[in-house]
Amino acid sequence: MPFALPEFRAQRIVLAAAALALALGGAVATRIALADDSANYPAASLTAPTDPAALLARGKYLVTAADCMPCHTGPGHAPFSGGLVVNTPYGGLASPNITPDKDTGIGNWSDQDFYNALHDGVAPGRSYLVFPKFLYPAMPYTSYTKLSYADVMAIKAYLFSLPPANVPSTPSSLAFPFNQRPVLLGWRILFFRAGPMHMDPSWDEHMKNGAYLTEALGHCGECHTPRNMLSATETGRAYAGAPIDDLYAPNISSDKTQGVGGWTQADLVAYLHDDGNMVKGSPFGAMSDMTENSTSLLPLSDVIDIATYLQTATKPQHTTPPAAAADATDSVSRGAAVYAANCAGCHGKTGGGLPPKFVPNLAGNDSIIADQPYNVIGPVLSGLAPWTKIPMPSFATRLSDQQIADVANYVRTAWGNQGVPNATPADVMRLRGIAVVPAMADAESDALGCPHVSPAGGPDTVTDPGNGLLDIYQGATPATLANRTRTLIAAVRANNATISDADLTNTLVAAYCPVVAHMAGLSLSDKQTALKDFIAGSAPLVAAH
């Protein structure tokens, strides 16, 4: 018989634990704003405007500087109505509705409720009746805790001036036990300290403003600071750079070789305010969203203050260079050929890009030479939105893991770039599981060895027949598989009457392999067997047509 506590004793222990958690939770979650919290803060942050119009203007400015809208606006949603799913190591976490709707937003929140959320990371209500409703730190209250009370109230005033949007919350998909908010109590005790940032009394208003915008409102450290195994930022390594999705937020400390300390102020201001330049390249990925919706909309003087703070007041972070890949020399040599065939047409033979602001330069682009090679691998896999006019296509379906690693190592070391050639096929395969790529090029298809596809074909790729024909097996059943195969064979033959049986079979495999790769409940060996059976079953159909 398994050991069990007597029922009354078990209840007492649970109640005692809950009481202790409540006490500790209150201690770490609630903090009264003291008068000296904002000592030495920028003057504009110390007192909320009394004029209603000026208060709303200040609030709108702060919301823009904090980049709230992009994170709180999901696909097809009204601005600030939530629904954007943030991928975390523990599952998907959807952002909430922060419009003043009283049913689905924050319309019923008091001033204190709102302050508690931003300053202490605690929402109104309880979890399991006794625990505070801890917010997940994907909402960067770990940075917003540094905001002054006056500015928090200005933010609330602006948000409450917006049209209410009745948009039910998007479900999150956090895995157990991380979907239980009380679990955050331990994390908060270990890693969260509510309170202000401490300004150097010798700083002038511009430096204070830059620090406030960078540390509190802009929450730059949330992306650019490495995190430990429990996803807390490593404060001793602030701004040293960190992975983010399939990219890498580079070192933006004052270090003059690895950070932005060696940039000219004009280049850094151009990057943050003017969408980059042909010297240091352009913002992309999450950074592009931030500059488009935040720093580019701030007064130029604010961005100069941010640049000054980053370049002169942050601790220089110089990291130990990573080791090169085992076959680095050969990889770089192979990568030169991959670059010439796939990249040079837009980025130029010498990596200079295509001015003015059509295609960014790769030579001299610091994001390319960050510690990890993700800022080459990620865009090659996912593609990029246009800088101004020309988008970067995805090469995930046409290049192998080895080819992508090779071209990354070449770009990181060519034309005077001082990166380390440390990209490996394993890096590429792992990022295929994170990047936004077609099913035929994701991690599951890659593991099964599905053929690579390109518009014109080639020695290492299958020719894409076009017209969406490679999607023909989506939703196929055993009963419809043969007919769909006949349809695909006929369409390919009609477009290319001279195609060989071997090439036609490769086209069939390119279409069906991703379907097998995503079959649930099958081992890799089972999938390989299913693919072999498909090829064998298709052979008579190929021969008959």
Side-chain angles (χ1 to χ4, degrees), residues 35-54:
D36 63 349
D37 270 6
S38 303
N40 296 313
Y41 266 35
S45 70
L46 296 178
T47 306
T50 56
D51 176 69

Side-chain angles (χ1 to χ4, degrees), residues 485-543:
T485 300
R486 292 187 185 96
T487 300
L488 180 54
I489 290 172
V492 174
R493 292 272 196 211
N495 290 333
N496 183 4
T498 62
I499 190 171
S500 68
D501 287 357
D503 286 344
L504 180 55
T505 300
N506 287 337
T507 302
L508 299 179
V509 173
Y512 190 60
C513 184
V515 175
V516 177
H518 294 85
M519 287 181 176
L522 296 184
S523 67
L524 180 60
S525 177
D526 291 338
K527 293 175 181 179
Q528 291 169 337
T529 298
L531 197 56
K532 289 178 182 177
D533 291 344
F534 169 78
I535 295 171
S538 300
L541 302 178
V542 171

Side-chain angles (χ1 to χ4, degrees), residues 381 401 428-435 437-450 517-518 524 527:
L381 287 174
D401 295 346
V428 181
M429 185 174 184
R430 183 178 62 79
L431 291 183
R432 284 183 188 271
I434 303 173
V437 297
M440 67 173 58
D442 65 11
E444 288 83 357
S445 296
D446 197 50
L448 187 55
C450 295
H518 294 85
L524 180 60
K527 293 175 181 179

Side-chain angles (χ1 to χ4, degrees), residues 57-72:
R58 175 69 179 173
K60 181 179 181 180
Y61 161 81
L62 295 168
V63 166
T64 300
D67 202 26
C68 303
M69 188 274 290
C71 284
H72 285 278

Side-chain angles (χ1 to χ4, degrees), residues 5 7-25 130-131 185:
L5 290 171
E7 183 177 355
F8 73 90
R9 187 180 172 198
Q11 290 175 343
R12 288 173 61 188
I13 290 175
V14 169
L15 290 173
L20 176 61
L22 179 60
L24 289 173
V130 295
F131 292 95
L185 175 60

Side-chain angles (χ1 to χ4, degrees), residues 8-171:
F8 73 90
R9 187 180 172 198
Q11 290 175 343
R12 288 173 61 188
I13 290 175
V14 169
L15 290 173
L20 176 61
L22 179 60
L24 289 173
V28 297
T30 304
R31 186 177 182 277
I32 298 173
L34 301 177
D36 63 349
D37 270 6
S38 303
N40 296 313
Y41 266 35
S45 70
L46 296 178
T47 306
T50 56
D51 176 69
L55 179 65
L56 293 182
R58 175 69 179 173
K60 181 179 181 180
Y61 161 81
L62 295 168
V63 166
T64 300
D67 202 26
C68 303
M69 188 274 290
C71 284
H72 285 278
T73 307
H77 285 211
F80 300 100
S81 66
L84 182 73
V85 177
V86 178
N87 294 317
T88 78
Y90 317 106
L93 182 64
S95 62
N97 182 343
I98 57 170
T99 72
D101 184 74
K102 292 184 179 295
D103 295 322
T104 62
I106 59 173
N108 291 317
W109 286 24
S110 67
D111 287 355
Q112 191 62 50
D113 290 336
F114 192 80
Y115 182 76
N116 289 344
L118 267 67
H119 190 265
D120 298 317
V122 179
R126 294 283 179 186
S127 296
Y128 294 101
L129 299 179
V130 295
F131 292 95
K133 191 176 180 181
F134 300 129
L135 293 175
Y136 289 96
M139 199 286 271
Y141 61 82
T142 45
S143 293
Y144 293 160
T145 189
K146 301 168 186 175
L147 294 172
S148 69
Y149 183 83
D151 277 349
V152 172
M153 291 301 99
I155 291 171
K156 179 178 181 287
Y158 174 71
L159 292 177
F160 273 59
S161 75
L162 299 174
N166 190 282
V167 180
S169 60
T170 299

Side-chain angles (χ1 to χ4, degrees), residues 65-68 71 140 143-144 213-223 239:
D67 202 26
C68 303
C71 284
S143 293
Y144 293 160
L213 287 165
T214 301
E215 301 281 353
L217 282 164
H219 57 278
C220 304
E222 303 288 343
C223 289
Y239 303 118

